Amino acid sequence: MHQLREYTAQVFIDGRFEAPDGDRDLPVLDKASSTLLGTYGNASAAQVDRAVRVAKAAQPGWAGVNANRRSEIVRDFARQLELRRDELLTLIIRETGGTAEKAEEELGQAITQLNNSATQLTENAGAILPPYKDGKISLSRAVPLGVIGLIVPWNYPMSLAMRALAPGLAYGNAVVLKPAELTPFAGGQILAEAAQAAGVPDGVFNVVPGDGPTTGRTLSEHPDLDLVHFTGSFEVGHQIANFAARSFKPVATELGGDNAFVVLDDADIAQAASCAVWSALWYQGQTCITAGRHIVLRSAADAFTEAVVERVSRLRVGNGLDDNVDLGPIISETQLRRFHEGLVQPSIASGATVAIGGSFDGLFYQPTVLTGVTPEMPVFTEEIFGPVMPITVVDTEAEALALVNRHRTLMNSVFTGDPMRGLAFAEQVKSNEVHVNDGYARHGGEGQLAGFTHRQWIGIQTTPTTYPAWAEG
Ligand code: NAD
């Protein structure tokens, strides 16, 4: 394990670190031990404004850097993270309360995103269109959006920031990043240090740590942004869309969902149970694609529940820095109380049964399986964002489908012995992502040109042409 050290998250503007003008020395805890991991402060409104203005001034120069050079810098950004690999794995475990496996996933994704973007930016970024008029050349080219305001959550601070930062920078934009208050190091400070070391030009990437309602709001309201890219809760996404609408800014949102995991009557129960436990409990259920609602056909329900409980009974909860830990702590007491008191306890009071778990010690919450869950109970109606698996029994496949589609979801699973039956089910699910006989997805590095550029059409008339008689001289 890497030596434990303390961190400070500073404001990073125009290639230089500076102290925040707002509240300072706010604590960031090691989530498992509740000891001090470091401090951060709130960037003031003036600092946010300066960061955006500096980004706006630097962006055209960055967009003008030739593609090979830009690609080299983005690739070096990845290398700077790679060079600090051991330190960063330890930091991510401590700052996000994850396990070593989760930290490997997060750092790996961040590095891959940078390397993929470094390649993609050198690929074809436009098209020659068929001429619509004699003697006219028609081009369509991808143009950077300009300045992106990026607001990210605490669960995967580094890789979720990188999801927009890597392609955003690669395609010639400037970025102002506000990390989450609970994770300003992996989500901000480290990225600024790596970008600086990689030679990202001053002003192209800026970081403004701070809280959501002040720093985050100031950033998302800034009129000089060309895109607000937000990952987080539905409620905050809704507020940000409202702020941004005042200055007609586009907003890209990646929000939460109340995802479903369906087990049909012909499913391989052992496979379904293993996948369900993984999809529901990976990183204590604190991901946007966590399987929340487990909807099981009656004839499979007893066997599925038994297999799930058996697997959950073997899980070890503890500090991710220790060996043999499967689940770490919940990110904060506020989050733990939100789902335990707000969702689990009221569901139990309404008749749900605790098959296993249901208790906690400090932030260490025992993985929990609830049976007898009905579609009206809060653990079914709300995104839980904790290590809780509610199981709901239904009589028909049609009933299961209707329940899946009752909520906004990001990713769903259906288990069946017949892949074509799974396909037919998946086709009727109203969400962007459905997995048949699998779960918890890992996205590949598909091109992101469309999200971080806009198309500019250029028509070049190469020969004299005629205009309506009334316009001619
Ligand atoms: P959150 O919405 O509370 O916070 C996200 C970010 O928004 C933080 O940086 C926060 O400081 C900032 N913020 C809060 N209030 C703000 C305001 N008024 N103006 C501007 N910024 C503000 O979310 P969270 O608790 O950090 O994360 C959990 C949520 O994120 C869950 O709902 C989860 O599903 C969702 N999520 C979605 C994805 C995805 O890819 N779709 C990924 C991870 C998390």
Side-chain angles (χ1 to χ4, degrees):
M1 189 187 59
H2 194 269
Q3 193 189 350
L4 304 188
R5 53 163 279 202
E6 279 197 13
Y7 291 83
T8 309
Q10 291 191 290
V11 175
F12 182 64
I13 301 177
D14 209 10
R16 281 178 293 279
F17 288 98
E18 60 186 53
D21 284 345
D23 294 339
R24 291 191 194 171
D25 299 327
L26 303 169
V28 179
L29 300 182
D30 172 321
K31 306 302 182 289
S33 66
S34 298
T35 55
L36 192 73
L37 176 59
T39 55
Y40 79 104
N42 286 323
S44 65
Q47 285 175 310
V48 172
D49 178 56
R50 192 152 49 82
V52 175
R53 282 192 287 108
V54 156
K56 188 174 177 176
Q59 187 271 328
W62 173 237
V65 172
N66 74 60
N68 285 344
R69 178 68 193 128
R70 224 176 329 126
S71 177
E72 272 172 28
I73 292 173
V74 174
R75 212 172 285 285
D76 197 30
F77 193 160
R79 202 175 61 86
Q80 296 301 329
L81 296 178
E82 190 71 68
L83 286 173
R84 295 174 69 176
R85 185 175 194 87
D86 288 350
E87 178 207 346
L88 297 184
L89 292 176
T90 302
L91 169 64
I92 293 171
I93 292 172
R94 298 180 73 201
E95 195 177 17
T96 69
T99 58
E101 216 182 342
K102 188 263 184 188
E104 290 273 4
E105 182 193 38
E106 181 166 0
L107 181 62
Q109 281 175 355
I111 291 170
T112 301
Q113 278 156 341
L114 282 165
N115 284 328
N116 285 348
S117 295
T119 302
Q120 285 156 3
L121 81 90
T122 63
E123 291 166 357
N124 187 358
I128 298 177
L129 306 171
Y132 76 104
K133 197 173 168 192
D134 290 345
K136 187 151 187 177
I137 298 170
S138 259
L139 308 175
S140 154
R141 66 180 197 115
V143 179
L145 299 173
V147 181
I148 300 171
L150 176 55
I151 299 178
V152 292
W154 46 260
N155 59 347
Y156 275 75
M158 186 177 282
S159 56
L160 290 178
M162 203 55 91
R163 181 166 64 178
L165 179 59
L169 289 183
Y171 290 125
N173 299 282
V175 175
V176 180
L177 165 67
K178 192 207 82 67
E181 303 86 311
L182 291 163
T183 52
F185 309 130
Q189 177 71 21
I190 298 295
L191 302 178
E193 290 172 11
Q196 190 185 44
V200 172
D202 294 351
V204 168
F205 175 44
N206 307 276
V207 180
V208 286
D211 66 23
T214 50
T215 312
R217 180 172 178 161
T218 308
L219 178 62
S220 53
E221 284 180 329
H222 202 290
D224 284 345
L225 295 183
D226 298 287
L227 173 73
V228 181
H229 193 289
F230 171 77
T231 302
S233 62
F234 181 79
E235 295 69 26
V236 175
H238 191 251
Q239 288 175 30
I240 286 179
N242 277 322
F243 301 150
R246 289 181 205 149
S247 52
F248 284 109
K249 271 194 297 289
V251 180
T253 52
E254 302 276 355
L255 307 174
D258 190 10
N259 309 310
F261 190 102
V262 176
V263 184
L264 298 181
D265 44 9
D266 59 351
D268 177 330
I269 295 298
Q271 277 277 303
S274 297
C275 185
V277 168
W278 174 54
S279 296
L281 301 178
W282 170 259
Y283 184 47
Q284 299 81 263
Q286 301 172 121
T287 85
C288 56
I289 53 171
T290 291
R293 304 172 290 143
H294 297 257
I295 301 167
V296 187
L297 257 64
R298 192 170 300 280
S299 63
D302 287 349
F304 175 75
T305 305
E306 197 180 312
V308 161
V309 169
E310 188 271 325
R311 285 159 175 72
V312 170
S313 69
R314 285 187 271 116
L315 298 179
R316 295 147 303 186
V317 183
N319 186 334
L321 291 177
D322 297 336
D323 290 339
N324 302 322
V325 165
D326 302 302
L327 269 64
I330 303 304
I331 192 79
S332 68
E333 194 183 330
T334 311
Q335 282 291 333
L336 189 148
R337 298 211 172 279
R338 185 192 56 77
F339 74 76
H340 182 69
E341 293 170 9
L343 307 178
V344 173
Q345 286 187 328
S347 299
I348 295 170
S350 312
T353 302
V354 180
I356 189 167
S359 60
F360 58 94
D361 179 9
L363 294 177
F364 295 100
Y365 198 92
Q366 288 303 319
T368 297
V369 179
L370 297 178
T371 56
V373 172
T374 63
E376 292 70 40
M377 292 180 183
V379 284
F380 191 97
T381 57
E382 303 292 324
E383 181 187 31
I384 301 172
F385 232 61
V388 178
M389 303 177 65
I391 299 181
T392 301
V393 178
V394 294
D395 287 310
T396 64
E397 192 176 321
E399 211 183 323
L401 181 65
L403 286 182
V404 174
N405 284 338
R406 193 189 274 192
H407 296 182
R408 202 163 33 83
T409 62
L410 294 180
M411 197 209 77
N412 300 281
S413 295
V414 54
F415 267 73
T416 165
D418 176 357
M420 295 315 286
R421 185 182 178 194
L423 174 62
F425 190 94
E427 282 176 342
Q428 297 175 77
V429 171
K430 292 181 188 145
S431 92
N432 289 344
E433 193 171 338
V434 186
H435 294 269
V436 178
N437 294 337
D438 198 10
Y440 191 82
R442 288 162 203 240
H443 291 279
E446 64 200 52
Q448 303 207 59
L449 185 66
F452 296 93
T453 57
H454 65 85
R455 285 276 153 175
Q456 183 187 40
W457 178 60
I458 301 178
I460 309 160
Q461 185 67 38
T462 59
T463 54
T465 185
T466 52
Y467 298 98
W470 52 263
E472 299 270 5

